[in-house]
Amino acid sequence: MYNVINNARNNSSREMKINVPKMVTPIEETLEQNLKVRTGMVNVSDGKSNPEPTRLKLTMELLILQRLDSSTPSTINSEERMVQIRRDKNSGLGLSIKGGAEHKLPILISKIYRDQAADITGQLFVGDAIIKVNGEFITACEHDDTVNILRNAGDIVVLTVKHYKAATPFLQKQLARDTPDSDNDAMCVELKKDEGWKKSFNNSRPVSVASDITDRNDKKWVDIISVPLMMAYVTRFIYGTDKLRTNAFEVRGLNGVSSGIIHCDLAILSQWLKLISDNIVGLTQLQMKLYNRNFAIGERIEYMGWVNEGVINSNISWQTYKPRFLVLKGTEVMLFDSPPLSVTGLTKSSSAYKVYQTMFRVIKESETVDARQHCFLLQSSPPHTTPRYLSVETRQELLRIENSWNSTIITSVIKLGRKTFAVSHLGRSGGLTLDWQSGFSLTEGADATVVWQYKFSALRGSSDDGKSKLKLHFHDPETRSIDTKEIECQVLQSLLFCMHAFLTAKVASVDPTFLSSIQQN
């Protein structure tokens, strides 16, 4: 099943080499200048050439891609550490081992093959002793048994290793000789004579948390790309399409810098996306708080973030997508071509609508027009009649927008207070008023005489003809019957959208769960 080269059972040198394609490493966490810093190996491409192994470093404010400065020697840490290697069914580990219990020596990594699995981790070295394989001790295993254990350890192999500086010269000497027939036994005999090595091995320290392994190894990493995360744009989709990358994503910063296409295993990919997205959201919310210092309560920002808008094509609807920056502020929903970088920039949106005159609707998965999920519609009343078809990357982000929308609805309706529409009732002209405090009321005549009035909670339903006629069905508390009121309005859609906003705000304002979520945000 596995492609094993120089199998120990068939070679007196007892060297094992297992080939593996370029891989990813687990995400590691450390503290750097009192901030959480996460690192891990990924593969990065420009979308055209083959991906190359790269170190991804994530801080609270930056996503940094790094390459190893091979000209700088490494000082290898002597504590035990855990290293994860990934291989597929036709590949191997890319290393050779020597030693074993029959020699009263540990299993030592004697060679690491360039650009293969062990080498790409950047965390394994000649002179490392393998103490555990997938959490199981192998210190009492003979060489041949260890070969079998490593060969059958699975697609993801976690090695617990400890570096022994005293062993390195002996192993390097064997590599220089390049005479594999009897090197293993000769090396073991020579190594056992060294008391310093024996003492070092007997005084092994307990394994430490796999956190800052790469940094403790004191390798020098060179920054090649740095992407600011403030209001950055992260996506798994191929830019401008609905085609999802199965194992890759891209991050674009405000300064136009792109991370390139970052390729990694799906399990690691989901972790990276969450970590990066959380940092972007955290920085964006911090920027919101800074902006909101300039606004009164009813004018503050509730949400800022990237969305993707479907661009209508004459032949195929929603064929391409364009990134938009969505802002919910005060009584308005605004779309920007690029994020506002100042308070003044908030006045320069490409499109702006009153929230109480706009319908927000989450699109069911069965209703989506293409492969993109997490979609929603924004449709404003005339003269803005064309709906905006928008999507976000995750369901979590869609829920954030939905909660922020409801919060903005409450703010805008309370600030608006009341709205009156010219209507006709029983052939007479009048005004239908939506009032945040009192509910529905119909007035007629120059003195605005109240003909009927109902609380919002009395509304049991409504129906319309899609043109101008509307029926409102109220519950009469005195007769305990349904009282239907029929009116006619020339701006029916505007009335319906505004009525929906008042009702949504009323329901949300008395919902303890929703109010709690707003307070937490």
Side-chain angles (χ1 to χ4, degrees):
M1 183 176 181
Y2 297 95
N3 179 24
V4 180
I5 301 177
N6 296 325
N7 190 315
R9 294 190 179 277
N10 300 316
N11 193 315
S12 59
S13 71
R14 296 187 178 184
E15 284 202 352
M16 179 185 69
K17 174 187 174 184
I18 308 175
N19 294 321
V20 66
K22 294 178 181 179
M23 49 149 295
V24 296
T25 57
I27 299 172
E28 300 154 4
E29 179 180 313
T30 184
L31 292 176
E32 186 170 300
Q33 298 178 350
N34 298 322
L35 294 175
K36 277 189 177 180
V37 177
R38 294 176 172 87
T39 60
M41 292 300 296
V42 296
N43 293 314
V44 179
S45 74
D46 59 5
K48 299 177 182 178
S49 56
N50 292 329
E52 296 184 1
T54 308
R55 185 186 193 234
L56 192 156
K57 179 178 178 181
L58 179 66
T59 70
M60 291 299 294
E61 297 182 350
L62 295 172
L63 182 144
I64 305 168
L65 298 179
Q66 301 175 317
R67 296 278 170 79
L68 183 63
D69 184 356
S70 57
S71 63
T72 303
S74 299
T75 301
I76 306 170
N77 185 267
S78 60
E79 293 182 359
E80 291 184 10
R81 61 193 194 277
M82 291 184 290
V83 180
Q84 177 176 291
I85 307 178
R86 178 181 174 82
R87 62 178 170 191
D88 62 30
K89 62 183 179 180
N90 296 316
S91 305
L93 300 178
L95 55 83
S96 295
I97 61 172
K98 291 182 181 292
E102 69 268 38
H103 298 287
K104 297 183 180 180
L105 290 172
I107 297 296
L108 294 164
I109 296 178
S110 60
K111 186 174 183 180
I112 293 177
Y113 295 88
R114 186 174 180 179
D115 294 333
Q116 296 187 22
D119 183 44
I120 292 172
T121 67
Q123 301 173 29
L124 290 172
F125 307 91
V126 170
D128 282 346
I130 302 176
I131 298 168
K132 296 180 185 178
V133 177
N134 291 339
E136 298 294 329
F137 281 99
I138 63 164
T139 50
C141 292
E142 294 187 354
H143 185 281
D144 291 352
D145 293 331
T146 304
V147 170
N148 286 329
I149 290 171
L150 290 171
R151 182 189 302 162
N152 298 299
D155 294 341
I156 297 178
V157 183
V158 179
L159 301 181
T160 301
V161 299
K162 176 180 173 65
H163 188 74
Y164 292 100
K165 186 177 180 180
T168 305
F170 296 94
L171 296 168
Q172 290 176 340
K173 188 186 300 183
Q174 299 299 312
L175 290 175
R177 290 175 184 170
D178 196 24
T179 54
D181 291 339
S182 59
D183 279 349
N184 189 58
D185 292 339
M187 184 277 294
C188 291
V189 171
E190 191 174 359
L191 184 57
K192 282 196 296 181
K193 294 178 181 178
D194 187 84
E195 293 298 323
W197 154 257
K198 187 182 300 183
K199 182 178 179 180
S200 176
F201 177 66
N202 291 333
N203 293 332
S204 295
R205 298 175 61 183
V207 67
S208 59
V209 178
S211 56
D212 57 342
I213 296 169
T214 307
D215 290 332
R216 289 202 311 259
N217 288 338
D218 201 28
K219 288 188 173 184
K220 183 177 180 181
W221 295 92
V222 180
D223 295 352
I224 54 174
I225 295 176
S226 183
V227 182
L229 295 179
M230 172 67 74
M231 300 188 199
Y233 173 72
V234 57
T235 180
R236 288 183 61 191
F237 289 93
I238 297 175
Y239 189 80
T241 74
D242 67 328
K243 297 179 181 179
L244 188 69
R245 297 185 176 99
T246 56
N247 64 339
F249 65 96
E250 179 184 7
V251 183
R252 296 190 176 204
L254 279 178
N255 56 0
V257 174
S258 170
S259 65
I261 313 303
I262 301 173
H263 305 257
C264 54
D265 180 80
L266 278 175
I268 303 297
L269 180 142
S270 62
Q271 295 179 45
W272 275 127
L273 282 177
K274 184 179 186 308
L275 292 171
I276 295 169
S277 298
D278 287 349
N279 284 9
I280 292 174
V281 170
L283 289 169
T284 302
Q285 289 182 333
L286 178 61
Q287 189 65 41
M288 280 173 48
K289 291 179 181 179
L290 294 176
Y291 285 167
N292 283 337
R293 291 179 180 179
N294 300 278
F295 305 119
I297 293 178
E299 292 295 329
R300 290 179 179 171
I301 302 169
E302 290 290 342
Y303 176 86
M304 293 196 311
W306 284 101
V307 298
N308 286 278
E309 181 176 12
V311 179
I312 297 179
N313 184 283
S314 58
N315 298 318
I316 305 175
S317 296
W318 327 118
Q319 182 177 342
T320 59
Y321 284 82
K322 183 176 182 179
R324 301 283 192 183
F325 197 78
L326 177 69
V327 175
L328 297 175
K329 178 185 176 297
T331 62
E332 291 186 314
V333 51
M334 297 176 283
L335 290 171
F336 295 80
D337 293 329
S338 60
L341 301 180
S342 64
V343 173
T344 304
L346 288 167
T347 63
K348 301 177 181 179
S349 63
S350 58
S351 302
Y353 314 105
K354 293 296 183 183
V355 171
Y356 58 82
Q357 291 180 340
T358 305
M359 184 72 72
F360 172 92
R361 185 170 75 87
V362 174
I363 304 297
K364 297 178 182 178
E365 289 189 12
S366 59
E367 299 175 338
T368 54
V369 299
D370 52 28
R372 279 187 181 257
Q373 298 179 318
H374 318 305
C375 302
F376 62 98
L377 278 180
L378 287 181
Q379 183 173 7
S380 188
S381 56
H384 310 288
T385 56
T386 303
R388 314 292 289 259
Y389 189 91
L390 305 164
S391 74
V392 290
E393 295 287 325
T394 64
R395 175 160 179 77
Q396 180 184 10
E397 191 66 12
L398 182 58
L399 291 174
R400 286 186 63 239
I401 294 177
E402 188 173 15
N403 285 338
S404 299
W405 182 268
N406 288 334
S407 180
T408 306
I409 282 287
I410 295 177
T411 300
S412 63
V413 168
I414 291 177
K415 184 176 181 180
L416 180 64
R418 62 201 321 261
K419 179 75 172 176
T420 300
F421 293 87
V423 298
S424 174
H425 177 248
L426 300 177
R428 297 188 296 272
S429 298
L432 177 66
T433 299
L434 308 177
D435 188 282
W436 171 246
Q437 298 294 338
S438 57
F440 294 91
S441 63
L442 182 77
T443 57
E444 293 179 354
D447 56 352
T449 303
V450 177
V451 178
W452 48 259
Q453 186 171 7
Y454 293 92
K455 294 181 178 180
F456 287 117
S457 59
L459 184 66
R460 291 295 180 268
S462 65
S463 58
D464 64 85
D465 63 357
K467 297 178 181 179
S468 61
K469 293 183 179 179
L470 172 65
K471 291 182 179 180
L472 300 173
H473 309 290
F474 297 103
H475 176 259
D476 191 323
E478 296 182 359
T479 63
R480 296 184 178 181
S481 60
I482 299 298
D483 190 4
T484 299
K485 303 297 184 181
E486 184 173 347
I487 60 175
E488 191 168 351
C489 180
Q490 297 304 313
V491 288
L492 180 61
Q493 192 177 57
S494 295
L495 170 57
L496 291 175
F497 284 6
C498 192
M499 187 173 73
H500 185 270
F502 271 78
L503 293 172
T504 299
K506 208 66 179 178
V507 171
S509 67
V510 296
D511 180 358
T513 303
F514 176 72
L515 290 177
S516 175
S517 69
I518 291 179
Q519 292 170 358
Q520 291 175 0
N521 291 336

